[in-house]
Amino acid sequence: MAKTDRIAITVVICTRDRAAQLRNVLESAAQMDAPKGLRWELLLIDNGSSDDTAEVALSFQPRLPIRVVREDAAGLSHARNRGVVEARGDYICWTDDDVIIDRGWLAAYAAAFTRHPEAAVFGGEIIPVLESPTPRWFARFAAQWPLTTVLAQRKHGNEPIPLSFENALVPWGANFAVRAAEQRAVAYDPGLGVSPLQRRVGEEAEAVFQIMKRGATGWWVPEARVRHIIPVARQTWRYVYEYFQSYGETVAYMERAWPGAHHIAVNAREMARVRRSAPSLYARATVFAALFAAAWLARSTRRALQFLMQTGFYVGAARIAAMPSPAKTEATCADQPLGAAR
């Protein structure tokens, strides 16, 4: 059995104005089967909430080794960076405020850390759970691409395997872990991630990419599972469009800021789609919007989803292309390490 008492773990959850659903993830955390002797803490980063987030979190102190830290600079990347600075563990396990954590999640990661001391990055399964009532068309295609991407599903099999960006074997934000030493060397880019000013994605994938680009290795941990709760508001055509619009903006933003030096650059076909002028990108979006309308009227849901995905992607990319001048953000994954934990 792995000697998990030799390591310390910080679980980080970033949240903003979601006190009601926060109770669910904290309740699941309180029911985890933590290995005997494991030193761990749960660090909640309150990203400027105006509701009773802090009070809800502190109510779990009798059942969880929880700390609450407030970070008023709004944006998921700012919250993640604060979590890295505040973390006391040798490893940082990341999850979200809209999941249910499996009882064996923490134990699975602790075992993986001791089994693979050479590795710095780890990731586990994300299982979407649809709240009712689910539209019939959404339920039918929820387990198929592109909806699996919208729902953040991560499933790379039931055996531990090496992580790899070339093979798209990478973890996503609701369920991954990084050794603290490597994590502190790479900041999360505030130009990525959701904030009140933007709806971009991929801040965690880009940070992991930069860590692995420096030589770190990683492992898939199939026993580390979370269930991602999908509310009815995200089971709509509109949400699918908005998600891929965010994705298109993300890809174009990264290619403009760091041409060929980011995690999506490994996909040449994807990059070719954003290296166009704004008028050209908007024109392609218009074509795909017409194709979506035709497919939707013909009740061809599969084709309609694919055309809607393309429409959103090109609109998002066009918004970046229309910006007057490129500029790097205040903190990039590649060149600004974080300070030591306090």
Side-chain angles (χ1 to χ4, degrees):
M1 188 173 180
K3 290 287 186 180
T4 56
D5 58 344
R6 298 176 182 173
I7 60 174
I9 296 174
T10 296
V11 175
V12 180
I13 298 175
C14 302
T15 191
R16 178 183 171 92
D17 289 332
R18 288 181 170 181
Q21 69 183 39
L22 183 63
R23 290 183 184 276
N24 296 327
V25 64
L26 294 181
E27 180 64 37
S28 68
Q31 296 180 33
M32 289 190 300
D33 296 323
K36 185 177 181 180
L38 178 68
R39 292 172 294 134
W40 75 284
E41 63 172 347
L42 195 157
L43 177 60
L44 186 93
I45 305 299
D46 180 357
N47 195 204
S49 297
S50 58
D51 62 5
D52 59 342
T53 286
E55 290 78 5
V56 168
L58 291 174
S59 72
F60 280 83
Q61 280 188 329
R63 303 169 61 195
L64 285 170
I66 190 168
R67 284 194 293 134
V68 179
V69 174
R70 187 175 177 92
E71 173 53 64
D72 286 321
L76 182 53
S77 286
H78 287 299
R80 288 198 190 277
N81 285 334
R82 183 63 180 273
V84 175
V85 170
E86 296 285 346
R88 297 168 179 166
D90 305 310
Y91 292 84
I92 301 173
C93 293
W94 298 94
T95 191
D96 285 349
D97 60 6
D98 58 354
V99 307
I100 300 298
I101 303 172
D102 189 82
R103 293 181 71 97
W105 181 79
L106 186 61
Y109 272 130
F113 301 156
T114 55
R115 187 167 57 246
H116 296 287
E118 81 291 349
V121 180
F122 303 82
E125 186 172 1
I126 303 174
I127 305 167
V129 176
L130 306 180
E131 290 189 337
S132 298
T134 297
R136 183 178 301 176
W137 67 270
F138 201 96
R140 180 184 174 191
F141 291 98
Q144 302 178 34
W145 180 84
L147 287 190
T148 50
T149 298
V150 176
L151 302 177
Q153 177 178 302
R154 290 280 88 182
K155 185 173 179 61
H156 295 315
N158 297 322
E159 299 295 331
I161 54 175
L163 298 178
S164 167
F165 275 84
E166 286 71 20
N167 298 319
L169 297 174
V170 294
W172 281 355
N175 190 8
F176 73 111
V178 183
R179 189 160 52 198
E182 284 83 355
Q183 180 70 92
R184 291 190 183 106
V186 173
Y188 291 91
D189 174 18
L192 298 173
V194 176
S195 82
L197 301 177
Q198 66 193 30
R199 292 194 61 185
R200 297 178 192 148
V201 295
E203 83 292 335
E204 84 290 5
E206 182 60 16
V208 167
F209 175 75
Q210 295 297 338
I211 290 169
M212 296 184 73
K213 184 179 177 181
R214 297 178 180 203
T217 58
W219 284 89
W220 172 249
V221 185
E223 299 89 355
R225 302 182 182 91
V226 301
R227 286 164 175 78
H228 185 205
I229 308 304
I230 311 298
V232 174
R234 294 189 181 186
Q235 302 173 40
T236 66
W237 291 103
R238 182 182 182 85
Y239 186 80
V240 172
Y241 168 78
E242 290 176 346
Y243 176 88
F244 283 105
Q245 179 179 302
S246 298
Y247 178 64
E249 182 174 330
T250 299
V251 177
Y253 163 82
M254 288 194 291
E255 181 60 9
R256 170 176 277 206
W258 311 286
H262 51 84
H263 74 276
I264 302 177
V266 299
N267 188 331
R269 182 179 178 183
E270 195 84 322
M271 298 318 305
R273 296 202 294 164
V274 299
R275 293 177 180 142
R276 304 170 184 268
S277 67
S280 175
L281 291 166
Y282 277 124
R284 291 183 70 84
T286 300
V287 170
F288 280 109
L291 291 171
F292 161 72
W296 185 79
L297 289 172
R299 297 185 179 180
S300 178
T301 304
R302 186 190 305 276
R303 293 179 65 81
L305 278 171
Q306 294 174 355
F307 292 141
L308 186 62
M309 174 189 71
Q310 299 276 22
T311 304
F313 179 92
Y314 283 116
V315 168
R319 288 184 172 183
I320 297 296
M323 290 182 176
S325 62
K328 288 191 176 183
T329 56
E330 61 189 84
T332 72
C333 290
D335 58 18
Q336 291 202 19
L338 292 174
R342 291 199 285 263

